[in-house]
Amino acid sequence: MKIRILLVSFMLLLFLSPSHSQNNFTLSGYIKDQQTGETLIGATLYIEELNIGTATNSYGYYSITIPQGQYTFKFSYIGYQDQEKTLHISTNQKLNIELAPKSIELNAVEITGRAGNHNIENTRTGMVEMDAKTIKTMPVLLGESDVMKSIQMMPGIQTPIEGSSGFSVRGGGTDQNLVLLDEATVYSPSHLMGFFSVFNPDAIKDVTLYKGDIPASAGGRLSSLLDVRMRDGSNKEFKAEGGIGIISSRITLEAPIKKDKGSFMISGRRTYADMFLKLSSDSAINNNTLYFYDLNAKANYEINSNNRIFLSGYFGKDAYGYADDFGMNWGNATLTLRWNHLFSDRIFSNFTLLYSKYNYQVEINEGNPNFDWTSYLENLSAKYDFTWFLSPPTIIRFGLQSTRHFIQPGRFEVSNQTSDFKVSNNKALEHGVYLLVEQKANDRLNINGGLRISAFQNIGKATVYSINKDFEVTDTTFYKNNKIFNTYIRLEPRFSARYLINDKNSLKTSYSRTYQYIQLASNSTAGTPLDVWFPASEYVQPQKSDQISIGWFRNFYNNRYEASLETFYKWMDHQIDFDANADLMLNDQLEKEIRFGKAYAYGLEFLIRKNEGKMTGWLGYTWSKARRKMPDINNGKEYPANYDIPHNLNLVMNYRLSNRIGISSIWTYRSGAPITYPTMRFKHADSSLPVFGEKNSARLPDYHRLDLSIMIKNKRKPHRKWDGEWHIGAYNAYNRANAYSVQFEEDPDIPNKMNAYKTVMFRIVPSITYNFKF
């Protein structure tokens, strides 16, 4: 009965809404790239006569309902030429728009993306947006453009360890970031132990990071949402692009399935260090293995004006091996099947089926017996999202999602034995339902209010241990297969507001509550591929975070410059940490190693950014503090989190010398990461053992480096389809010896004296890459 009343009320609201007036009509359609047919995310439509507008959603769709009359519609997207249409609106109309990119020379230095005043007009705080063109202009390690490292250059995002693709957002852990590729979860978004990300920029269309006001449609992580969207592929003509670098090469192919109706894109990347190893005459070297690869694929097809389907996938793997004695590999796989459907010009829906998997394997073949260690995590999800363009002032978003988690923490097999050791599997269900209302209260005030209801259920077959205050197992409970034996239901309110002071200034604020039901068991700041995910349970409460953000946003000189100043405070409950000597690998009683407590973080973020002209780039600075307090760690005293970096400064600059030559630079500075040093040593038998001081009471030396690159385009020739460009760069150009870690060793000549030695990961690293397209 309650459901019927709700449905009747919903339909009555639709019927009585202002847009149902006889004199109101809807203009809707898609905004696309003229050259490729790719939809443009966040492109804007503005009607000057009514002083209203709207923006396209994640699939390039827009809808706006207005009174009958004749109007001039202006369609805009940074990096593209504006387009104006004068139309007389007297019926519902569909209008698809194709915007032409600006000149190639301008694109090389212009930061592309949403409308020029998007940062002023939108309601969200703590949002970072980038596209592939911006990412490709930045100098990076070994010439490999990298989504994650580009994101790390923005305020509020910390990376305490050099080279790592892992990142901390506003005092959160590296496992507290939800990373999505075409809506599918990527659990380990890095290659080569964290030095490269899994995202091939040639396959990426759009990247958005939400640091504070996470959309109500997403949940399951405390700190951030990194939403990465793959390109659809050109539905106009066949295209190819790629690159040949020092450590890897890549190729991307795209073409229409049927012109203007559907397309596909396939992109591959592989390193080839192992191929050079085989050239060595030393058998200890030429039998080794060291490589990673990525494969991205996507296809889409427009069935009719109301229905469109997408199928996309990612498959990646890392492999390392020492001859036949030792081998290790790990990788991700994702699949996404989506169906876009228009119930009407004003109701857009997207139904999605998702599959994600992360697995690793370690083989030891030296000696007898041999060992084989495997682990994997697998998800299967279904979700249904709706966008209801109720009227120009009101947009309603709602939907639901359900996910089945399966975690195999570890299986250890020994040759010549009939049995093996296996850590118990973890099975769980995670659900979410949400409603978000985006309301333009008046010309100055926008309010977004939403609620997400999340639920998490543990499922048997399971063995659950009861742990006492001394972290000892006191009882064991067994649950049958597929029995739901534990359930959490949590409310996650989300709120944001924007007050427009004038067309160049706005104030914003937001509040969000998030819960996290699965987390990573790791004792490493940088993380390793062998870290284990584990779920909330009867013993492990879901992690909780509340965050408040306030910001001032300002544009200058016709939106060529933008600036922002944001402050945040975040407090977190049921936080998880581990003792330094915790046993995390192949531990069937992991609960004994877990310590619980609270955490908080606060800070100030400043950004000034230049979007157009010969010189573009940004300056970002973060001052922040992140603290944790666990009753059973550090004698119950508060201590800095591993990712507590008080000062972080990044300067990114791109300068066009001519139509063919451009230079780019990054200078980054940050405070040293927290570390625990030994304060004394004591003798035990013939050994000298360290006694460590308070947790994270010291710091590594401050970190800074300069990266440089120069881009030289081939001289253009008439009627030639081939375009090429050279990228020559240097990572850590002034050869700074930044400390990756510090070790202490006893002086062999002076008794009781300890010497400190720092490990340096990278000095100056040159690179050269040739990129091409045709």
Side-chain angles (χ1 to χ4, degrees):
M1 176 64 75
K2 290 183 178 179
I3 295 176
R4 289 181 180 177
I5 294 174
L6 182 62
L7 289 174
V8 170
S9 302
F10 186 81
M11 297 305 296
L12 186 61
L13 179 62
L14 174 60
F15 181 76
L16 294 177
S17 65
S19 55
H20 256 77
S21 166
Q22 293 181 355
N23 295 323
N24 285 350
F25 300 97
T26 300
L27 180 70
S28 62
Y30 292 87
I31 302 179
K32 304 178 181 181
D33 183 304
Q34 186 184 77
Q35 294 183 353
T36 66
E38 290 262 4
T39 56
L40 300 177
I41 302 172
T44 59
L45 160 63
Y46 180 70
I47 307 171
E48 186 172 355
E49 292 90 340
L50 300 176
N51 191 29
I52 60 173
T54 190
T56 59
N57 65 9
S58 298
Y59 299 93
Y61 182 78
Y62 74 91
S63 175
I64 190 166
T65 302
I66 54 177
Q68 179 178 343
Q70 181 167 302
Y71 305 101
T72 299
F73 300 88
K74 182 178 180 181
F75 300 88
S76 304
Y77 194 71
I78 290 183
Y80 289 73
Q81 297 174 13
D82 293 347
Q83 189 174 139
E84 291 189 356
K85 294 275 188 182
T86 300
L87 300 172
H88 181 76
I89 302 299
S90 58
T91 62
N92 293 337
Q93 295 186 33
K94 291 184 182 293
L95 178 65
N96 295 332
I97 295 294
E98 293 187 342
L99 298 181
K102 292 180 181 177
S103 66
I104 293 177
E105 288 78 13
L106 180 59
N107 278 344
V109 296
E110 183 170 326
I111 296 175
T112 59
R114 324 287 172 136
N117 64 343
H118 176 69
N119 63 311
I120 301 295
E121 293 281 350
N122 82 80
T123 308
R124 296 199 180 279
T125 62
M127 185 167 65
V128 176
E129 298 167 306
M130 285 189 182
D131 69 354
K133 291 177 182 178
T134 303
I135 293 167
K136 288 179 179 180
T137 63
M138 300 175 65
V140 288
L141 180 63
L142 292 170
E144 282 295 305
S145 297
D146 195 288
V147 168
M148 306 288 274
K149 288 185 171 53
S150 300
I151 286 290
Q152 290 171 4
M153 293 295 105
M154 302 302 288
I157 303 164
Q158 313 282 22
T159 170
I161 299 297
E162 179 175 29
S164 173
S165 290
F167 60 99
S168 165
V169 176
R170 292 183 169 179
T174 55
D175 67 331
Q176 294 176 350
N177 306 307
L178 179 60
V179 180
L180 301 180
L181 178 61
D182 272 3
E183 302 186 63
T185 303
V186 179
Y187 281 94
S188 181
S190 62
H191 287 302
L192 290 183
M193 309 297 286
F195 292 109
F196 301 97
S197 79
V198 299
F199 303 115
N200 178 357
D202 288 349
I204 300 305
K205 174 165 68 174
D206 185 82
V207 178
T208 304
L209 177 71
Y210 300 90
K211 298 183 292 184
D213 183 19
I214 298 176
S217 58
R221 298 294 186 276
L222 293 192
S223 291
S224 76
L225 165 64
L226 180 62
D227 186 9
V228 182
R229 303 276 173 158
M230 289 169 54
R231 290 170 51 197
D232 299 330
S234 172
N235 64 16
K236 301 292 186 180
E237 60 181 354
F238 172 80
K239 294 175 179 285
E241 65 177 302
I244 302 171
I246 292 177
I247 68 161
S248 72
S249 291
R250 62 191 192 278
I251 184 73
T252 301
L253 306 175
E254 54 186 311
I257 297 174
K258 183 178 180 181
K259 190 172 182 180
D260 294 329
K261 293 285 286 183
S263 62
F264 74 88
M265 182 276 299
I266 184 168
S267 183
R269 176 176 63 163
R270 192 192 191 278
T271 58
Y272 31 67
D274 55 322
M275 298 181 184
F276 291 108
L277 295 178
K278 295 185 183 300
L279 300 177
S280 173
S281 59
D282 187 344
S283 60
I285 297 176
N286 59 32
N287 287 331
N288 293 345
T289 301
L290 178 62
Y291 70 87
F292 72 77
Y293 71 79
D294 297 302
L295 178 66
N296 297 77
K298 188 171 184 178
N300 72 93
Y301 191 80
E302 182 182 323
I303 300 171
N304 54 44
S305 60
N306 290 333
N307 295 279
R308 189 177 184 186
I309 56 172
F310 301 80
L311 177 64
S312 60
Y314 167 81
F315 310 92
K317 180 181 178 181
D318 285 70
Y320 169 73
Y322 179 74
D324 295 325
D325 299 331
F326 173 80
M328 182 168 67
N329 65 79
W330 62 94
N332 295 277
T334 70
L335 279 173
T336 304
L337 176 62
R338 288 179 286 190
W339 168 44
N340 287 177
H341 175 67
L342 290 172
F343 286 96
S344 71
D345 294 334
R346 296 187 293 117
I347 300 180
F348 179 95
S349 72
N350 180 56
F351 178 74
T352 311
L353 294 176
L354 301 162
Y355 173 80
S356 298
K357 184 176 182 179
Y358 173 70
N359 67 282
Y360 66 78
Q361 179 182 26
V362 178
E363 297 177 292
I364 302 175
N365 300 317
E366 186 177 14
N368 190 18
N370 299 328
F371 303 94
D372 188 13
W373 174 14
T374 59
S375 176
Y376 70 93
L377 181 155
E378 193 173 50
N379 283 355
L380 185 62
S381 302
K383 58 183 302 214
Y384 211 172
D385 301 291
F386 298 84
T387 304
W388 179 17
F389 300 91
L390 179 62
S391 63
T394 308
I395 298 176
I396 300 176
R397 306 180 194 273
F398 57 98
L400 67 162
Q401 179 176 6
S402 185
T403 301
R404 175 190 177 274
H405 298 285
F406 184 89
I407 304 173
Q408 166 47 260
R411 184 187 187 101
F412 193 67
E413 299 179 272
V414 182
S415 64
N416 302 326
Q417 293 190 13
T418 58
S419 62
D420 55 18
F421 176 76
K422 179 181 176 182
V423 180
S424 299
N425 297 336
N426 288 309
K427 294 193 294 182
L429 295 175
E430 186 173 354
H431 316 284
V433 58
Y434 71 92
L435 173 67
L436 175 67
V437 178
E438 301 175 6
Q439 181 67 48
K440 183 176 181 181
N442 54 48
D443 289 342
R444 295 187 181 274
L445 181 62
N446 278 18
I447 298 174
N448 292 356
L451 177 65
R452 180 181 180 87
I453 304 174
S454 60
F456 189 84
Q457 298 174 304
N458 298 99
I459 305 174
K461 187 178 180 180
T463 302
V464 176
Y465 301 99
S466 298
I467 312 294
N468 65 16
K469 63 179 182 179
D470 297 320
F471 307 105
E472 298 171 337
V473 175
T474 59
D475 196 6
T476 304
T477 306
F478 301 96
Y479 293 99
K480 294 180 180 180
N481 193 36
N482 295 326
K483 177 179 175 58
I484 296 175
F485 61 88
N486 181 59
T487 299
Y488 291 107
I489 299 176
R490 297 291 186 265
L491 302 181
E492 304 181 32
R494 315 283 170 87
F495 171 83
S496 62
R498 181 227 67 197
Y499 182 76
L500 196 65
I501 300 172
N502 53 45
D503 61 351
K504 302 297 182 185
N505 288 270
S506 67
L507 296 174
K508 303 179 188 180
T509 185
S510 69
Y511 164 77
S512 65
R513 170 171 288 182
T514 52
Y515 284 92
Q516 181 163 338
Y517 298 100
I518 65 170
Q519 45 271 314
L520 204 57
S522 176
N523 248 344
S524 167
T525 301
T528 75
L530 306 184
D531 293 337
V532 177
W533 289 87
F534 65 97
S537 63
E538 291 177 311
Y539 179 71
V540 180
Q541 293 280 318
Q543 299 184 68
K544 184 181 78 170
S545 171
D546 292 275
Q547 182 179 173
I548 296 174
S549 302
I550 299 174
W552 169 62
F553 297 79
R554 173 77 161 94
N555 282 7
F556 307 87
Y557 303 111
N558 295 321
N559 298 321
R560 295 178 66 187
Y561 292 84
E562 61 182 65
S564 64
L565 183 66
E566 292 188 66
T567 183
F568 69 91
Y569 189 91
K570 176 164 37 173
W571 58 102
M572 295 164 278
D573 293 323
H574 309 303
Q575 295 300 282
I576 291 172
D577 209 337
F578 300 90
D579 188 76
N581 299 315
D583 179 16
L584 304 182
M585 299 298 179
L586 294 172
N587 188 345
D588 208 19
Q589 298 179 353
L590 184 64
E591 292 89 345
K592 295 195 304 183
E593 310 295 339
I594 301 173
R595 305 295 181 262
F596 301 101
K598 297 179 180 292
Y600 66 90
Y602 57 86
L604 189 69
E605 301 166 359
F606 170 76
L607 175 70
I608 185 166
R609 182 168 175 168
K610 186 174 186 289
N611 294 323
E612 298 179 24
K614 284 193 171 184
M615 177 176 286
T616 61
W618 65 84
L619 172 68
Y621 170 73
T622 305
W623 172 83
S624 63
K625 184 177 182 179
R627 293 292 186 270
R628 313 194 109 203
K629 188 174 184 180
M630 310 275 171
D632 300 291
I633 293 180
N634 201 43
N635 295 319
K637 297 179 181 178
E638 184 178 283
Y639 59 92
N642 291 339
Y643 25 83
D644 176 60
I645 308 294
H647 301 282
N648 192 350
L649 178 69
N650 296 295
L651 176 62
V652 178
M653 297 181 66
N654 303 303
Y655 185 74
R656 186 184 68 199
L657 294 172
S658 68
N659 290 341
R660 293 181 52 223
I661 301 174
I663 57 175
S664 300
S665 65
I666 295 175
W667 187 75
T668 184
Y669 164 85
R670 62 176 179 262
S671 305
I675 191 172
T676 306
Y677 285 157
T679 56
M680 64 179 69
R681 302 183 77 87
F682 70 93
K683 292 288 185 179
H684 178 72
D686 295 330
S687 301
S688 178
L689 304 178
V691 177
F692 288 92
E694 293 188 355
K695 184 177 177 68
N696 288 347
S697 57
R699 290 188 178 273
L700 293 173
D702 289 356
Y703 178 99
H704 57 86
R705 74 168 198 273
L706 174 69
D707 303 336
L708 298 172
S709 72
I710 182 169
M711 180 273 294
I712 305 173
K713 291 191 174 187
N714 292 347
K715 189 174 181 180
R716 283 188 163 185
K717 295 182 180 179
H719 310 298
R720 187 179 73 173
K721 291 187 176 181
W722 181 281
D723 278 330
E725 59 188 36
W726 291 92
H727 286 254
I728 303 168
Y731 178 91
N732 194 9
Y734 53 67
N735 204 30
R736 162 80 172 176
N738 289 300
Y740 183 80
S741 62
V742 175
Q743 293 83 35
F744 292 85
E745 295 181 6
E746 190 170 11
D747 193 303
D749 301 320
I750 304 175
N752 300 321
K753 181 183 178 183
M754 302 301 299
N755 295 325
Y757 299 91
K758 70 177 180 181
T759 299
V760 176
M761 185 60 65
F762 296 109
R763 301 297 291 259
I764 184 171
V765 182
S767 64
I768 182 169
T769 302
Y770 180 73
N771 295 329
F772 60 87
K773 62 174 60 178
F774 58 89

